[in-house]
Amino acid sequence: IVGGFNGVYEISKNFRNEGMDKNHNPEFTALELYVAYKDYNWMMSLTEELIEKVVLEINGSYKVKLFDKEIEIRRPFARRKMADLFREYTDMDIMAMDFGELKTAAEKLDIELEPNANKSKILDEIFGAKIEPNLIEPTFVIDYPIEISPLAKKHRTNEGLVERFELFINSAEIANAFTELNDPRDQRQRLEEQARNRAAGDDEAMVVDEDFLYALEVGMPPTAGLGIGIDRLVM
């Protein structure tokens, strides 16, 4: 995108050096794409159109049977703010809490935390335990806290949030996307914070990528980016 292309994509194998479980494979296939001069709202529309078309082409129907469930994968998908979902499923204003309050909330919700869990990790654990299991029908979860979204652009109207969505179907995250952060100074500060988290024991935190920061300094236009987990979509 920095080099002048308005749209790029690839479908490729990715490799991760993090933990492994039934939803995370060390080697997986992903679709990744970026489009200049678009935002996460545009990308949501593209994502639901793309997935709806794939489902219809393969199944001949918008309805998919998964074990004892029948899920209709048809536009428009639900769009739910993360803060509203936390309030609905925990009866607490989770995203307004500081670190100490979050730890207390996690204890009340019977969520086990690693000893070195930081704020972003606690938010992620609560979301995974209390919200994800309820996201059966196709649902875009939108407007994430900045702490867990180091590459997403700050929300244009809501302080402390970023313009990001994840698509969930049958409790599984299928896609992750955001309005890309294209301010190199803001990006450097966030990557440095990520590096501190990594040094403190968070193996999923990022590192300071000087090549990436240099590209942003050269000049990156407003851009929307999307990643879709092909393996999960197939499942």
Side-chain angles (χ1 to χ4, degrees), residues 176-210:
N176 182 28
F178 29 84
T179 307
E180 299 289 329
L181 176 54
N182 62 339
D183 179 340
R185 291 166 297 185
D186 188 0
Q187 186 65 85
R188 180 175 292 279
Q189 289 175 356
R190 294 206 223 167
L191 288 180
E192 287 173 350
E193 177 64 24
Q194 284 283 301
R196 285 191 288 271
N197 290 342
R198 192 174 186 85
D202 183 355
D203 63 355
E204 294 186 8
M206 303 181 74
V207 297
V208 178
D209 186 335
E210 292 294 345

Side-chain angles (χ1 to χ4, degrees), residues 1 31 44 46 75 89 92 102 112 131 136 155 158 163 196 209 227 233:
I1 299 295
L31 162 67
M44 263 186 276
L46 177 75
R75 291 181 286 172
Y89 291 108
M92 289 184 267
L102 268 179
E112 290 187 24
I131 298 175
I136 306 302
H155 200 283
N158 293 311
E163 296 190 351
R196 285 191 288 271
D209 186 335
L233 184 59

